């Protein structure tokens, strides 16, 4: 499925460590809920790349450039930031996160997108599922070139550091605890704001290109003015 904006393979690329999905399928559940929320926000269908199929795992022995070149050509990159994601030795870190930042920084939109509010957002939208060590947070920020502005799915309770699950909404009693369904909504709204801003930018670029083409065509139709050559004076003069 192609992107909403022509020229891109996907609208969203989900990046995560496989070990963060093995035990309870948290990432799979997140992607399913995100897709459902996006369906209620977009008139067009939003395409999401998520390598849930084990046969599609991208291993170190593969030709990384060939495997990921098209898939990483997306509008928004969502990394699931866990205790293990910020690892320079991991496949997701080096070949997905860093690769996307490089690709997005050099495409027609650039890495940072100006929003209608006047604020600026980058195209990496981090989802944080654990409280991180300071070193890991700084490592992530060094790659994206700014403060980590994540949407958090962290269960808040003294002595606990785990991801917030959808079923927690039914048992949460504390007023300070975030709700899973609210966070999914925040992710979807942010995705919509970024993509809509990119669509407006694309539309303006198309209009400008058409205006340039019209002016070029008009110039071609203009009659060529012949230069008048002054008559040569006779030698007698």
């Amino acid at each position: 499925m192609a992107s909403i904006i022509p020229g891109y393979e996907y609208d969203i690329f989900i990046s995560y460590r496989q070990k963060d999905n093995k035990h309870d399928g948290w990432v799979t559940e997140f992607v399913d809920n995100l897709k459902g929320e996006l369906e209620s926000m977009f008139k067009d269908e939003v395409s999401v790349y998520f390598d849930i199929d084990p046969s599609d795992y991208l291993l170190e022995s593969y030709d990384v450039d060939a495997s990921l070149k098209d898939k990483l050509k997306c509008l928004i990159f969502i990394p699931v930031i866990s205790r293990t994601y910020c690892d320079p030795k991991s496949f997701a870190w080096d070949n997905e996160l860093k690769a996307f930042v490089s690709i997005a920084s050099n495409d027609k939109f650039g890495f940072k997108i100006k929003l209608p509010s006047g604020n600026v957002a980058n195209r990496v939208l981090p989802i944080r599922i654990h409280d991180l060590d300071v070193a890991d947070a700084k490592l992530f920020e060094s790659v994206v070139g700014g403060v980590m502005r994540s949407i958090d799915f962290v269960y808040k309770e003294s002595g606990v550091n785990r991801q917030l699950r959808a079923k927690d909404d039914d048992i949460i009693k504390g007023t300070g605890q975030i709700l899973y369904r609210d966070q999914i909504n925040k992710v979807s709204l942010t995705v919509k704001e970024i993509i809509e801003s990119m669509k407006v930018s694309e539309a303006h670029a198309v209009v400008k290109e058409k205006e340039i083409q019209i002016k070029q065509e008009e110039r071609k139709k203009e009659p060529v003015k012949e230069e008048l050559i002054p008559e040569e004076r006779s030698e007698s003069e």
Side-chain angles (χ1 to χ4, degrees), residues 10-18 21 26-32 34-35 38 46-52 56 58 68 71-72 74-81 85 91-92 96-97 100 125-127 187 191:
Y10 292 94
D11 295 307
I12 300 171
F13 185 106
I14 305 293
S15 175
Y16 67 105
R17 292 296 298 272
Q18 300 290 344
N21 200 39
W26 191 93
V27 183
T28 299
E29 183 179 38
F30 165 76
V31 173
D32 288 343
L34 177 61
K35 286 181 177 179
L38 289 171
V46 178
S47 58
V48 178
Y49 175 76
F50 171 54
D51 65 340
I52 186 58
D56 196 30
L58 298 168
L68 282 178
K71 291 170 181 146
L72 281 171
C74 59
L75 304 182
I76 299 174
F77 182 92
I78 296 182
V80 179
I81 309 297
Y85 188 87
F91 185 92
E96 293 179 359
L97 174 63
F100 173 79
L125 175 57
I127 302 303
V187 176
V191 166

Side-chain angles (χ1 to χ4, degrees), residues 52-99:
I52 186 58
D53 185 351
S55 66
D56 196 30
Y57 287 176
L58 298 168
L59 305 178
E60 302 292 349
S61 59
Y62 289 8
D63 182 339
V64 175
D65 290 336
S67 300
L68 282 178
K69 183 178 179 181
D70 290 336
K71 291 170 181 146
L72 281 171
K73 197 171 184 182
C74 59
L75 304 182
I76 299 174
F77 182 92
I78 296 182
V80 179
I81 309 297
S82 65
R83 286 184 293 256
T84 66
Y85 188 87
C86 300
D87 178 4
K89 301 186 298 295
S90 74
F91 185 92
W93 181 267
D94 199 41
N95 296 292
E96 293 179 359
L97 174 63
K98 291 181 68 177

Side-chain angles (χ1 to χ4, degrees), residues 75-235:
L75 304 182
I76 299 174
F77 182 92
I78 296 182
V80 179
I81 309 297
S82 65
R83 286 184 293 256
T84 66
Y85 188 87
C86 300
D87 178 4
K89 301 186 298 295
S90 74
F91 185 92
W93 181 267
D94 199 41
N95 296 292
E96 293 179 359
L97 174 63
K98 291 181 68 177
F100 173 79
V101 171
S102 176
I103 292 170
S105 297
N106 292 286
D107 73 9
K108 62 183 178 181
F109 290 108
F111 184 58
K112 295 184 178 181
I113 304 297
K114 187 173 182 178
L115 305 176
S117 62
N119 293 325
V120 175
N122 69 50
R123 288 162 60 186
V124 172
L125 175 57
I127 302 303
R128 188 168 64 91
I129 62 174
H130 296 122
D131 289 331
L132 303 179
D133 294 335
V134 173
D136 284 345
K138 289 188 177 298
L139 184 61
F140 180 85
E141 291 171 352
S142 70
V143 173
V144 299
V147 176
M148 181 192 295
R149 292 183 172 85
S150 60
I151 297 178
D152 296 342
F153 287 78
V154 182
Y155 185 83
K156 298 295 182 181
E157 185 176 332
S158 179
V160 176
N161 184 15
R162 68 167 175 84
Q163 59 268 55
L164 181 69
R165 302 163 300 186
K167 62 184 180 182
D168 289 327
D169 284 5
D170 296 328
I171 60 175
I172 288 173
K173 296 179 181 179
T175 56
Q177 176 61 56
I178 56 177
L179 295 176
Y180 181 96
R181 60 180 176 272
D182 288 347
Q183 299 307 91
I184 286 288
N185 182 259
K186 287 180 183 178
V187 176
S188 301
L189 287 170
T190 303
V191 166
K192 183 175 177 60
E193 187 175 31
I194 294 173
I195 290 181
E196 291 299 330
S197 298
M198 296 175 79
K199 287 171 66 177
V200 169
S201 176
E202 176 77 352
H204 287 168
V206 170
V207 170
K208 188 173 182 179
E209 180 64 26
K210 286 183 178 179
E211 289 176 349
I212 292 173
Q213 290 176 355
I214 291 172
K215 288 181 180 179
Q216 290 174 341
E217 291 298 323
E218 288 175 348
R219 288 196 187 100
K220 290 179 182 179
K221 294 177 182 179
E222 290 178 358
V224 178
K225 295 181 179 179
E226 296 182 0
E227 293 185 4
L228 297 177
I229 302 175
E231 295 182 0
E232 293 184 1
R233 295 182 178 182
S234 63
E235 293 181 359

